[in-house]
Amino acid sequence: MGHEVVIVGGGFGGLYAAQSLRRAPVRVTLVDRRNFHLFQPLLYQVAIGGLSPANVAAPLRAILKKQANARVLLAEVVGVAARRRVVILRDGEIGFDTLILAAGARHHYFGHDAWERDAPGLKTIEDATEIRRRILLAFERAERLRDPVELEATLTFVIVGGGPTGVELAGAIAETARGTLRRDFRAIDPSRARIRLVEAGDRILAGFPPELSTRAADALRRLGVGVETGTSVADVTAESVLLRTGDGGERRVAARTVLWAAGVAASPLARALAEETGVSLDRAGRVVVGPDLTVPGYPEIFVIGDMAHVVGADRQPLPGVATVAMQQGRYVARRIAERLRQRESGAATDVSTETGGTLAGQAAAAGAFRYRDPGIMATIGRAAAVARIGRFQFSGYPAWLLWLFVHLVHLIEFQNRLLVLIQWAWNYFTRNRAARLITGEERRGSGKT
Amino acid sequence: MGHEVVIVGGGFGGLYAAQSLRRAPVRVTLVDRRNFHLFQPLLYQVAIGGLSPANVAAPLRAILKKQANARVLLAEVVGVAARRRVVILRDGEIGFDTLILAAGARHHYFGHDAWERDAPGLKTIEDATEIRRRILLAFERAERLRDPVELEATLTFVIVGGGPTGVELAGAIAETARGTLRRDFRAIDPSRARIRLVEAGDRILAGFPPELSTRAADALRRLGVGVETGTSVADVTAESVLLRTGDGGERRVAARTVLWAAGVAASPLARALAEETGVSLDRAGRVVVGPDLTVPGYPEIFVIGDMAHVVGADRQPLPGVATVAMQQGRYVARRIAERLRQRESGAATDVSTETGGTLAGQAAAAGAFRYRDPGIMATIGRAAAVARIGRFQFSGYPAWLLWLFVHLVHLIEFQNRLLVLIQWAWNYFTRNRAARLITGEERRGSGKT
């Protein structure tokens, strides 16, 4: 047996690491709970019925089918036995020589887990179809309502969190209400829906230059979205949301649909790793790794992507975006290949190295991970987006075209690119969103059907 | 207010009736539990990951958006108060002048409802994604199994029922195992999966000419499907299925995946209608309607599609296929328009007619419904199908092309035609099926995860 690399998580970090190891003299096992890679940047389009789940997902086996040194394992990882070099699955275990943890993050309700039922977040395919279900059902229910107060609450949508996901969701819901559904109903006017984007900080898109935040807010307001900054959420129920402004004032807003885009925390696997190895976690539960993305004292364990706390050139932690995870995946693959080469050339002098064993001796040789920031972008709606590429800022139509292009080329599988392109063209010209199906069971048990 | 036509069910019958009433002086209300029309003939392709749910569904509101005299109501119909002319919803009621019941059928387990958990049928989008989940999970579990007996049971798929759905499912699973998944796994050879199609009658595709049944069985065997006719199912568990042959012999086959394509029964609404009106039901629970598709004694209530028992020219009940429902939908729309015209021209002599009232007086004037049989077709796999068009029989490649063409042109919404065409071309050339996502929660509670 060669050197065993186990990768936990088939998101951007894990998948790019696996693919970048294709020529390395290792055996790669990619473990994921799901059988597909999810292209999360487009997930909000599933949530508003513009795309189908399969358009933003690709089966991991299909992606890695031709990579002879890789295998895929559908399993849930519950822990790591670092000293024994074993990953613990819910139903078994699997040994490693090198481990790459790339299990991502999930929503975080800042201690208010009970809010999840009434304010779902957008991380999985199931989240997206559930959100789609709630948005579409709100209009269906409104069509049958007579009471004006109940009608207004049913057609009020509150999106919590003004990051890219919140902005994209708010813009897309506004366009659905004003464009897609405009002539679909007979009793209600869907364009009268109220969409409110609530952000605790003093501007939306805090990761962007301030000028682009302003432009994004303006574009949202043109779509009819109420943008409320400096406003946090103090309570969420099935019927309403309690908003708190900076001056301590509180307002209860009747809203039947609340969506959560406010916070994420690292996979619980980070905590399990911390308990095992003593590594520190940051406030978002991310593993504070060394400059080479390894766990201090465990040079054979890498943590990358949304699970890792890594400080960038500006001394700020790197953001949880796909480009960081991709670059870290590639970096880690390069490091592993490098170490194996060094070990091979050094084998004559270091005969004590056990077979497939530790690579600690070579760890010091390589350079630290450095993030090359390609930029950042968010779309607000039809022909409206903001983007920073290097030092250049774009907004409006040019930014939107750029956004389309970048997202299309990064989609995995050519078939999906083609299908997404066609549906985008369709949506653009007809304002229709064909995938607006209400499917699945009611998730919250509030009895409102 | 004009004449109120309420249509229950947005399948082929209900939707075609609604659309055919677009120029009639009526107000149409289409009531459905779901917000979309489902193109059921292609649902099996969702079940094997070849197409996405949204590709075989179209939002009812989008279809009827431009039809000014039609509205859509998302609601569950639980009964009919025939004399009061009211449809009873789970949460309200709605009055009608004319009612068209087109609520379809669902699986039927011949008194063994407990089998549903372990042998799901294929009627809804949720059924399709659940079947997709079971088929794909079987291969995923097999990849991690060592025990040869357990492995064989996990890779044994039993499809119960040799009608078009059973044949199409069996063929598609065989192609998935031998083509799509061929290089996806490292520990198992998916092509060693056993697919068994079990049919109680003496041949599969009983609605087809015997020669085509033979050809279909041969084509299935070439794909590696075991075709077992004269065999019925005596029991289904999570672990196995008990088969009974004509001579009374019984065999228990270890199979972790059993799919049900054996029987359907009319919507429970048929029973509710029978209790209300005294109309007879046939053994499959279908309403025995008059030659003009009305309920005897209730000329303003039509029953069409899979819910109706109508005798054809050969004195056999018409089959539950889309073409019958479509023609009945159009026929009923024509009848309603005709009656309204007659009532208008006869209004001077029949002043007693109440506003928007009964049309019984004109019922005798019109001709009975006659089904024009355009033919019947079923696909077995790649370039393999059987078709009877009028008196002509086709099989193999020509039948397959015909099948593709007919299904594409009947799909609702041009966008779906384009998306399906692209995915078919893709599937054909690459043998890939990109929508093979394992999503949703486990439906059966057998604890096997």
Side-chain angles (χ1 to χ4, degrees):
Chain A
M1 293 300 281
H3 188 88
E4 293 277 349
V5 179
V6 172
I7 302 174
V8 178
F12 287 106
L15 185 59
Y16 275 66
Q19 291 184 313
S20 305
L21 284 166
R22 67 189 172 283
R23 290 201 195 85
V26 297
R27 192 167 105 121
V28 176
T29 301
L30 179 60
V31 188
D32 201 304
R33 284 187 294 190
R34 310 308 299 263
N35 76 326
F36 49 85
H37 166 76
L38 178 60
F39 192 78
Q40 236 152 13
L42 290 182
L43 194 57
Y44 82 94
Q45 299 212 350
V46 175
I48 48 115
L51 294 175
S52 279
N55 302 144
V56 300
L60 288 169
R61 293 194 185 283
I63 303 172
L64 294 173
K65 162 183 243 168
K66 290 182 182 159
Q67 186 171 331
N69 73 345
R71 62 174 182 143
V72 174
L73 208 64
L74 188 77
E76 190 174 352
V77 174
V78 293
V80 176
R83 269 163 292 265
R84 280 204 296 134
R85 292 218 196 111
V86 155
V87 168
I88 299 157
L89 311 176
R90 184 164 298 288
D91 52 356
E93 48 180 57
I94 173 173
F96 63 84
D97 296 313
T98 298
L99 174 64
I100 304 172
L101 290 175
R106 45 187 207 173
H107 347 286
H108 182 50
Y109 291 84
F110 308 115
H112 298 280
D113 290 349
W115 295 356
E116 179 160 20
R117 204 192 64 166
D118 296 313
L122 182 62
K123 272 283 168 194
T124 66
I125 289 282
E126 287 78 7
D127 291 340
T129 49
E130 172 67 15
I131 289 177
R132 181 175 76 183
R133 174 185 171 77
R134 291 189 188 200
I135 295 171
L136 295 172
L137 265 184
F139 290 99
E140 295 290 345
R141 285 177 181 142
E143 176 81 344
R144 295 182 59 194
L145 287 174
R146 294 286 167 275
D147 176 40
V149 175
E150 185 59 26
L151 184 64
E152 182 173 323
T154 302
L155 287 183
T156 298
F157 300 84
V158 174
I159 295 102
V160 184
T165 300
V167 166
E168 287 171 340
L169 265 177
I173 296 173
E175 286 200 331
T176 300
R178 282 157 184 72
T180 311
L181 301 181
R182 204 164 48 95
R183 292 176 55 190
D184 272 15
F185 293 87
R186 301 292 182 253
I188 58 161
D189 175 3
S191 70
R192 295 185 56 191
R194 301 186 175 206
I195 296 111
R196 309 172 71 144
L197 179 64
V198 171
E199 163 61 39
D202 61 352
R203 62 186 174 103
I204 59 168
L205 298 179
F208 287 66
E211 199 189 316
L212 290 182
S213 296
T214 308
R215 294 210 178 175
D218 290 345
L220 281 171
R221 290 199 184 97
R222 275 195 298 276
L223 280 172
V225 175
V227 179
E228 303 174 43
T229 53
T231 305
S232 60
V233 169
D235 190 29
V236 181
T237 72
E239 307 282 311
S240 68
V241 52
L242 182 65
L243 301 180
R244 185 175 291 150
T245 43
D247 54 16
E250 288 189 345
R251 269 173 309 146
R252 190 165 282 280
V253 174
R256 299 286 179 274
T257 311
V258 181
L259 306 178
W260 192 259
V264 297
S267 157
L269 204 50
R271 171 137 319 272
L273 184 74
E275 281 163 14
E276 171 77 11
T277 63
V279 70
S280 350
L281 304 181
D282 70 5
R283 282 193 309 164
R286 293 178 297 186
V287 178
V288 181
V289 291
D292 63 348
L293 309 185
T294 59
V295 173
Y298 296 86
E300 70 282 5
I301 302 182
F302 294 88
V303 184
I304 62 175
D306 288 0
M307 255 185 95
H309 173 106
V310 181
V311 173
D314 57 357
R315 304 208 174 168
Q316 294 296 308
L318 294 175
V321 295
T323 43
V324 169
M326 291 171 179
Q327 289 183 26
Q328 291 180 337
R330 287 202 205 97
Y331 166 86
V332 167
R334 244 184 355 254
R335 290 301 310 272
I336 294 170
E338 228 169 72
R339 289 181 184 180
L340 286 170
R341 270 197 306 276
Q342 287 171 0
R343 190 179 63 172
E344 207 164 279
S345 62
T349 55
D350 180 17
V351 287
S352 69
T353 305
E354 41 179 324
T355 311
T358 175
L359 301 172
Q362 293 83 30
F369 170 74
R370 272 201 313 204
Y371 178 52
R372 267 173 243 253
D373 183 4
I376 186 169
M377 42 178 51
T379 182
I380 294 130
R382 198 180 157 80
V386 290
R388 176 187 58 74
I389 308 297
R391 285 170 303 136
F392 300 100
Q393 297 180 14
F394 302 86
S395 63
Y397 202 78
W400 183 70
L401 281 182
L402 204 63
W403 183 92
L404 291 180
F405 176 77
V406 166
H407 284 78
L408 268 185
V409 299
H410 280 99
L411 255 181
I412 303 275
E413 300 281 359
F414 183 77
Q415 183 187 357
N416 276 340
R417 281 179 215 151
L418 190 61
L419 294 175
V420 167
L421 183 63
I422 288 172
Q423 288 173 91
W424 280 353
W426 214 265
N427 297 350
Y428 185 79
F429 289 112
T430 67
R431 293 175 194 259
N432 191 13
R433 303 197 207 270
R436 41 182 217 274
L437 313 182
I438 299 175
T439 55
E441 304 276 312
E442 185 95 354
R443 219 195 253 179
R444 58 178 159 187
S446 64
K448 293 192 308 175
T449 48
Chain B
M1 291 301 279
H3 188 89
E4 292 276 348
V5 179
V6 172
I7 303 174
V8 178
F12 288 106
L15 185 59
Y16 275 65
Q19 291 185 310
S20 305
L21 284 167
R22 66 188 171 283
R23 290 202 195 84
V26 297
R27 193 167 106 121
V28 176
T29 301
L30 179 59
V31 188
D32 201 304
R33 283 187 295 191
R34 311 307 300 263
N35 75 327
F36 50 84
H37 165 77
L38 179 61
F39 192 79
Q40 235 153 13
L42 290 182
L43 194 56
Y44 81 96
Q45 298 212 352
V46 175
I48 50 114
L51 293 175
S52 279
N55 302 145
V56 300
L60 287 169
R61 293 195 186 281
I63 304 172
L64 294 174
K65 161 185 241 166
K66 289 181 184 161
Q67 186 172 330
N69 73 347
R71 62 174 183 144
V72 174
L73 208 64
L74 188 78
E76 191 174 350
V77 174
V78 294
V80 176
R83 266 162 296 264
R84 279 204 297 135
R85 291 218 198 113
V86 156
V87 168
I88 298 157
L89 311 176
R90 184 166 298 288
D91 51 357
E93 47 179 56
I94 173 171
F96 63 82
D97 296 313
T98 299
L99 174 64
I100 304 173
L101 290 174
R106 44 187 210 175
H107 347 286
H108 183 50
Y109 290 84
F110 309 115
H112 298 280
D113 290 348
W115 295 356
E116 180 161 18
R117 204 191 64 166
D118 297 313
L122 182 62
K123 274 282 168 194
T124 66
I125 289 282
E126 287 79 6
D127 290 342
T129 49
E130 171 66 16
I131 289 176
R132 180 176 78 182
R133 175 185 170 78
R134 291 190 189 200
I135 294 171
L136 295 172
L137 265 184
F139 289 99
E140 295 291 343
R141 286 177 180 141
E143 176 82 344
R144 296 182 59 193
L145 287 173
R146 294 288 166 273
D147 176 40
V149 175
E150 186 58 26
L151 185 62
E152 184 173 322
T154 301
L155 287 182
T156 298
F157 300 84
V158 175
I159 295 102
V160 185
T165 300
V167 165
E168 287 171 340
L169 265 178
I173 296 173
E175 286 199 332
T176 300
R178 282 156 184 73
T180 311
L181 302 180
R182 206 164 46 96
R183 293 175 57 191
D184 271 16
F185 293 86
R186 302 291 182 255
I188 58 162
D189 175 3
S191 69
R192 295 185 56 192
R194 299 186 176 206
I195 295 112
R196 308 171 73 146
L197 179 64
V198 172
E199 163 61 40
D202 61 352
R203 63 185 174 101
I204 60 168
L205 297 180
F208 286 67
E211 199 188 317
L212 290 182
S213 295
T214 308
R215 294 210 179 174
D218 289 347
L220 281 171
R221 290 198 183 96
R222 276 195 298 275
L223 280 173
V225 175
V227 179
E228 303 175 42
T229 53
T231 305
S232 60
V233 168
D235 190 30
V236 181
T237 72
E239 306 282 310
S240 67
V241 51
L242 183 64
L243 301 179
R244 186 176 289 150
T245 43
D247 55 14
E250 288 190 343
R251 270 173 309 145
R252 192 165 280 280
V253 174
R256 299 285 179 272
T257 311
V258 181
L259 306 178
W260 192 260
V264 296
S267 156
L269 203 50
R271 170 137 320 272
L273 183 74
E275 281 164 14
E276 171 77 11
T277 64
V279 68
S280 345
L281 304 180
D282 71 4
R283 281 193 309 166
R286 292 178 297 187
V287 178
V288 180
V289 290
D292 63 348
L293 310 185
T294 60
V295 174
Y298 295 86
E300 70 283 5
I301 302 182
F302 294 88
V303 185
I304 62 175
D306 288 1
M307 255 187 95
H309 173 107
V310 181
V311 173
D314 58 357
R315 305 210 174 168
Q316 294 295 309
L318 294 176
V321 296
T323 44
V324 169
M326 290 170 181
Q327 290 183 24
Q328 291 179 338
R330 287 202 204 98
Y331 166 86
V332 166
R334 246 185 352 255
R335 290 302 309 275
I336 293 170
E338 229 169 71
R339 287 182 186 179
L340 286 170
R341 270 197 305 277
Q342 288 171 1
R343 192 180 61 170
E344 206 163 283
S345 62
T349 55
D350 182 17
V351 286
S352 69
T353 305
E354 43 178 326
T355 313
T358 175
L359 302 172
Q362 295 82 29
F369 171 75
R370 273 197 316 200
Y371 178 53
R372 267 172 243 254
D373 183 4
I376 187 169
M377 42 179 51
T379 183
I380 294 128
R382 201 179 154 80
V386 291
R388 175 186 59 74
I389 307 296
R391 284 168 305 133
F392 301 99
Q393 297 179 12
F394 302 85
S395 64
Y397 202 78
W400 183 71
L401 282 183
L402 205 61
W403 183 93
L404 292 180
F405 177 76
V406 166
H407 284 78
L408 268 186
V409 297
H410 280 98
L411 254 182
I412 304 273
E413 302 279 1
F414 184 78
Q415 183 186 359
N416 276 339
R417 281 180 215 150
L418 190 63
L419 294 175
V420 167
L421 183 64
I422 288 171
Q423 288 173 90
W424 281 354
W426 213 266
N427 297 349
Y428 184 80
F429 289 112
T430 67
R431 292 174 195 261
N432 191 12
R433 303 197 208 269
R436 41 182 218 275
L437 312 182
I438 300 175
T439 55
E441 303 277 311
E442 184 95 355
R443 218 196 255 179
R444 59 178 159 188
S446 64
K448 293 192 309 175
T449 46

